[in-house]
Each structure stands twice: as structure tokens, then as C-alpha cells.
Short mmCIF file of all heavy atoms in Angstrom, two decimals:
data_model
loop_
_atom_site.label_atom_id
_atom_site.label_comp_id
_atom_site.label_asym_id
_atom_site.label_seq_id
_atom_site.Cartn_x
_atom_site.Cartn_y
_atom_site.Cartn_z
N GLU A 1 113.10 81.96 84.10
CA GLU A 1 112.02 81.87 85.06
C GLU A 1 110.91 80.94 84.59
O GLU A 1 110.10 80.48 85.37
CB GLU A 1 111.43 83.25 85.34
CG GLU A 1 112.37 84.17 86.06
CD GLU A 1 111.84 85.58 86.18
OE1 GLU A 1 110.66 85.81 85.86
OE2 GLU A 1 112.60 86.45 86.59
N LYS A 2 110.86 80.66 83.31
CA LYS A 2 109.81 79.80 82.76
C LYS A 2 110.11 78.35 83.14
O LYS A 2 111.22 77.87 82.97
CB LYS A 2 109.71 79.95 81.26
CG LYS A 2 109.22 81.33 80.87
CD LYS A 2 108.82 81.37 79.44
CE LYS A 2 108.31 82.75 79.12
NZ LYS A 2 106.90 82.86 79.22
N PRO A 3 109.12 77.64 83.64
CA PRO A 3 109.34 76.26 84.05
C PRO A 3 109.51 75.34 82.84
O PRO A 3 109.06 75.65 81.73
CB PRO A 3 108.06 75.92 84.82
CG PRO A 3 107.03 76.84 84.26
CD PRO A 3 107.76 78.09 83.89
N TYR A 4 110.15 74.20 83.08
CA TYR A 4 110.33 73.21 82.02
C TYR A 4 108.98 72.62 81.63
O TYR A 4 108.72 72.36 80.46
CB TYR A 4 111.27 72.11 82.51
CG TYR A 4 111.45 71.00 81.51
CD1 TYR A 4 112.23 71.19 80.36
CD2 TYR A 4 110.84 69.77 81.69
CE1 TYR A 4 112.38 70.19 79.42
CE2 TYR A 4 110.99 68.77 80.75
CZ TYR A 4 111.76 68.97 79.63
OH TYR A 4 111.89 67.98 78.70
N TYR A 5 108.09 72.41 82.60
CA TYR A 5 106.78 71.80 82.38
C TYR A 5 105.70 72.80 82.74
O TYR A 5 105.79 73.46 83.76
CB TYR A 5 106.64 70.56 83.26
CG TYR A 5 105.25 69.96 83.29
CD1 TYR A 5 104.87 69.00 82.37
CD2 TYR A 5 104.30 70.37 84.24
CE1 TYR A 5 103.60 68.45 82.39
CE2 TYR A 5 103.04 69.83 84.27
CZ TYR A 5 102.69 68.87 83.35
OH TYR A 5 101.43 68.34 83.37
N ARG A 6 104.68 72.90 81.89
CA ARG A 6 103.53 73.76 82.20
C ARG A 6 102.26 73.00 81.84
O ARG A 6 102.21 72.28 80.85
CB ARG A 6 103.57 75.04 81.36
CG ARG A 6 104.70 75.97 81.73
CD ARG A 6 104.88 77.09 80.74
NE ARG A 6 103.70 77.92 80.60
CZ ARG A 6 103.56 78.83 79.65
NH1 ARG A 6 104.51 79.01 78.75
NH2 ARG A 6 102.46 79.55 79.56
N LEU A 7 101.23 73.18 82.66
CA LEU A 7 99.92 72.63 82.35
C LEU A 7 98.99 73.81 82.11
O LEU A 7 98.67 74.56 83.04
CB LEU A 7 99.38 71.75 83.48
CG LEU A 7 98.00 71.14 83.23
CD1 LEU A 7 98.04 70.20 82.02
CD2 LEU A 7 97.50 70.41 84.45
N LEU A 8 98.59 73.98 80.87
CA LEU A 8 97.70 75.08 80.51
C LEU A 8 96.27 74.58 80.65
O LEU A 8 95.93 73.50 80.16
CB LEU A 8 97.97 75.51 79.07
CG LEU A 8 99.42 75.90 78.77
CD1 LEU A 8 99.61 76.16 77.28
CD2 LEU A 8 99.84 77.10 79.58
N THR A 9 95.44 75.35 81.35
CA THR A 9 94.05 74.95 81.58
C THR A 9 93.14 76.12 81.31
O THR A 9 93.55 77.28 81.38
CB THR A 9 93.83 74.48 83.03
OG1 THR A 9 94.14 75.54 83.92
CG2 THR A 9 94.69 73.27 83.36
N GLY A 10 91.89 75.82 81.03
CA GLY A 10 90.92 76.88 80.85
C GLY A 10 89.70 76.41 80.11
O GLY A 10 89.55 75.22 79.79
N GLU A 11 88.83 77.34 79.83
CA GLU A 11 87.63 77.05 79.05
C GLU A 11 88.03 76.87 77.59
O GLU A 11 88.96 77.51 77.10
CB GLU A 11 86.63 78.20 79.19
CG GLU A 11 85.28 77.87 78.63
CD GLU A 11 84.23 78.92 78.95
OE1 GLU A 11 84.53 79.86 79.72
OE2 GLU A 11 83.12 78.79 78.44
N ASP A 12 87.35 75.98 76.91
CA ASP A 12 87.65 75.69 75.50
C ASP A 12 87.17 76.85 74.63
O ASP A 12 86.05 76.84 74.12
CB ASP A 12 87.00 74.37 75.09
CG ASP A 12 87.41 73.93 73.69
OD1 ASP A 12 88.41 74.46 73.18
OD2 ASP A 12 86.72 73.07 73.13
N THR A 13 88.03 77.85 74.49
CA THR A 13 87.72 79.05 73.70
C THR A 13 88.90 79.37 72.79
O THR A 13 89.98 78.78 72.89
CB THR A 13 87.47 80.26 74.62
OG1 THR A 13 88.70 80.54 75.33
CG2 THR A 13 86.34 80.03 75.60
N HIS A 14 88.69 80.35 71.96
CA HIS A 14 89.76 80.84 71.09
C HIS A 14 90.94 81.32 71.94
O HIS A 14 92.10 81.08 71.59
CB HIS A 14 89.23 81.97 70.21
CG HIS A 14 90.28 82.62 69.37
ND1 HIS A 14 90.78 82.03 68.23
CD2 HIS A 14 90.95 83.79 69.53
CE1 HIS A 14 91.71 82.82 67.72
NE2 HIS A 14 91.82 83.90 68.48
N ALA A 15 90.64 81.97 73.05
CA ALA A 15 91.70 82.50 73.93
C ALA A 15 92.60 81.37 74.45
O ALA A 15 93.82 81.53 74.54
CB ALA A 15 91.10 83.27 75.09
N PHE A 16 92.01 80.22 74.78
CA PHE A 16 92.82 79.09 75.24
C PHE A 16 93.73 78.61 74.11
O PHE A 16 94.91 78.34 74.33
CB PHE A 16 91.93 77.94 75.73
CG PHE A 16 92.73 76.75 76.16
CD1 PHE A 16 93.33 76.71 77.40
CD2 PHE A 16 92.90 75.66 75.32
CE1 PHE A 16 94.08 75.62 77.80
CE2 PHE A 16 93.65 74.57 75.69
CZ PHE A 16 94.24 74.54 76.94
N CYS A 17 93.19 78.51 72.91
CA CYS A 17 94.00 78.09 71.76
C CYS A 17 95.16 79.06 71.52
O CYS A 17 96.27 78.64 71.20
CB CYS A 17 93.13 77.97 70.51
SG CYS A 17 91.89 76.67 70.62
N VAL A 18 94.91 80.34 71.71
CA VAL A 18 95.97 81.34 71.57
C VAL A 18 97.05 81.11 72.62
O VAL A 18 98.25 81.18 72.32
CB VAL A 18 95.38 82.77 71.66
CG1 VAL A 18 96.49 83.81 71.80
CG2 VAL A 18 94.51 83.06 70.45
N ARG A 19 96.65 80.82 73.85
CA ARG A 19 97.64 80.55 74.92
C ARG A 19 98.53 79.36 74.57
O ARG A 19 99.75 79.40 74.78
CB ARG A 19 96.94 80.29 76.26
CG ARG A 19 96.36 81.55 76.86
CD ARG A 19 95.64 81.31 78.18
NE ARG A 19 96.46 80.58 79.13
CZ ARG A 19 95.99 79.65 79.97
NH1 ARG A 19 94.71 79.35 79.99
NH2 ARG A 19 96.78 79.04 80.81
N VAL A 20 97.94 78.30 74.06
CA VAL A 20 98.72 77.13 73.65
C VAL A 20 99.65 77.51 72.50
O VAL A 20 100.84 77.17 72.50
CB VAL A 20 97.81 75.94 73.28
CG1 VAL A 20 98.63 74.79 72.71
CG2 VAL A 20 97.01 75.47 74.49
N SER A 21 99.14 78.23 71.53
CA SER A 21 99.94 78.66 70.38
C SER A 21 101.11 79.53 70.83
O SER A 21 102.24 79.39 70.32
CB SER A 21 99.08 79.43 69.37
OG SER A 21 98.10 78.58 68.83
N GLU A 22 100.88 80.43 71.78
CA GLU A 22 101.95 81.28 72.30
C GLU A 22 103.03 80.44 72.98
O GLU A 22 104.22 80.72 72.84
CB GLU A 22 101.39 82.32 73.26
CG GLU A 22 100.61 83.42 72.57
CD GLU A 22 99.89 84.35 73.53
OE1 GLU A 22 99.79 84.03 74.74
OE2 GLU A 22 99.42 85.39 73.06
N ALA A 23 102.62 79.43 73.73
CA ALA A 23 103.59 78.55 74.38
C ALA A 23 104.44 77.84 73.32
O ALA A 23 105.66 77.71 73.47
CB ALA A 23 102.89 77.54 75.28
N LEU A 24 103.82 77.40 72.25
CA LEU A 24 104.57 76.75 71.16
C LEU A 24 105.55 77.71 70.52
O LEU A 24 106.70 77.35 70.22
CB LEU A 24 103.60 76.19 70.12
CG LEU A 24 102.65 75.10 70.62
CD1 LEU A 24 101.68 74.70 69.52
CD2 LEU A 24 103.40 73.89 71.15
N GLU A 25 105.15 78.96 70.35
CA GLU A 25 106.04 79.98 69.79
C GLU A 25 107.22 80.27 70.71
O GLU A 25 108.29 80.66 70.25
CB GLU A 25 105.26 81.27 69.50
CG GLU A 25 104.31 81.16 68.34
CD GLU A 25 103.44 82.39 68.17
OE1 GLU A 25 103.59 83.38 68.93
OE2 GLU A 25 102.59 82.36 67.26
N GLU A 26 107.02 80.08 72.02
CA GLU A 26 108.08 80.30 73.01
C GLU A 26 109.04 79.12 73.10
O GLU A 26 109.96 79.13 73.90
CB GLU A 26 107.47 80.56 74.39
CG GLU A 26 106.72 81.86 74.48
CD GLU A 26 105.96 82.00 75.80
OE1 GLU A 26 106.02 81.08 76.64
OE2 GLU A 26 105.30 83.03 75.98
N GLY A 27 108.83 78.08 72.31
CA GLY A 27 109.74 76.95 72.31
C GLY A 27 109.24 75.73 73.05
O GLY A 27 109.95 74.73 73.16
N TYR A 28 108.02 75.80 73.59
CA TYR A 28 107.45 74.62 74.23
C TYR A 28 106.91 73.68 73.16
O TYR A 28 106.61 74.10 72.04
CB TYR A 28 106.31 75.03 75.17
CG TYR A 28 106.77 75.64 76.46
CD1 TYR A 28 106.99 77.02 76.56
CD2 TYR A 28 106.97 74.87 77.59
CE1 TYR A 28 107.42 77.60 77.75
CE2 TYR A 28 107.39 75.43 78.79
CZ TYR A 28 107.62 76.79 78.86
OH TYR A 28 108.03 77.36 80.04
N VAL A 29 106.80 72.40 73.51
CA VAL A 29 106.19 71.41 72.63
C VAL A 29 105.07 70.72 73.40
O VAL A 29 105.11 70.63 74.63
CB VAL A 29 107.21 70.38 72.10
CG1 VAL A 29 108.22 71.03 71.18
CG2 VAL A 29 107.90 69.66 73.23
N LEU A 30 104.09 70.24 72.66
CA LEU A 30 102.97 69.54 73.30
C LEU A 30 103.48 68.28 73.98
O LEU A 30 104.35 67.58 73.46
CB LEU A 30 101.91 69.18 72.27
CG LEU A 30 101.28 70.35 71.51
CD1 LEU A 30 100.30 69.82 70.48
CD2 LEU A 30 100.61 71.33 72.45
N TYR A 31 102.94 67.99 75.14
CA TYR A 31 103.33 66.81 75.89
C TYR A 31 102.06 66.02 76.20
O TYR A 31 101.22 66.44 76.99
CB TYR A 31 104.04 67.20 77.19
CG TYR A 31 104.52 66.03 77.99
CD1 TYR A 31 105.66 65.34 77.61
CD2 TYR A 31 103.83 65.61 79.12
CE1 TYR A 31 106.11 64.26 78.35
CE2 TYR A 31 104.27 64.54 79.86
CZ TYR A 31 105.42 63.85 79.47
OH TYR A 31 105.86 62.79 80.19
N GLY A 32 101.89 64.91 75.53
CA GLY A 32 100.70 64.10 75.74
C GLY A 32 99.49 64.67 75.02
O GLY A 32 99.57 65.66 74.30
N SER A 33 98.38 64.02 75.24
CA SER A 33 97.13 64.42 74.60
C SER A 33 96.42 65.47 75.44
O SER A 33 96.57 65.49 76.66
CB SER A 33 96.21 63.21 74.46
OG SER A 33 96.80 62.24 73.64
#
């Protein structure tokens, strides 16, 4: 059910960094800057 591409957005907080980190742990990789 997880899409191939995701755009994570939000306020620049610790919680946002955690969301990005969780995506990386799920096998996603950063795409672009």
C-alpha cells in the first residue's frame, strides 16, 4: 500500500526529522534536495 514516491512536508521540527528517519528505516531513500 505504500507508494513508490512520497513527499514529506511539515514544520521544521524534531518530529519532522523523525518522520524522514522512519521513512529511511522503511526502505525509502532521499530523492533530491
Side-chain angles (χ1 to χ4, degrees):
E1 292 173 9
K2 293 193 178 265
Y4 177 74
Y5 171 90
R6 292 169 59 191
L7 180 62
L8 305 173
T9 60
E11 191 171 354
D12 187 16
T13 63
H14 175 77
F16 178 80
C17 295
V18 168
R19 287 179 52 217
V20 173
S21 296
E22 287 172 348
L24 297 176
E25 289 174 2
E26 292 172 0
Y28 284 88
V29 293
L30 300 177
Y31 182 77
S33 298

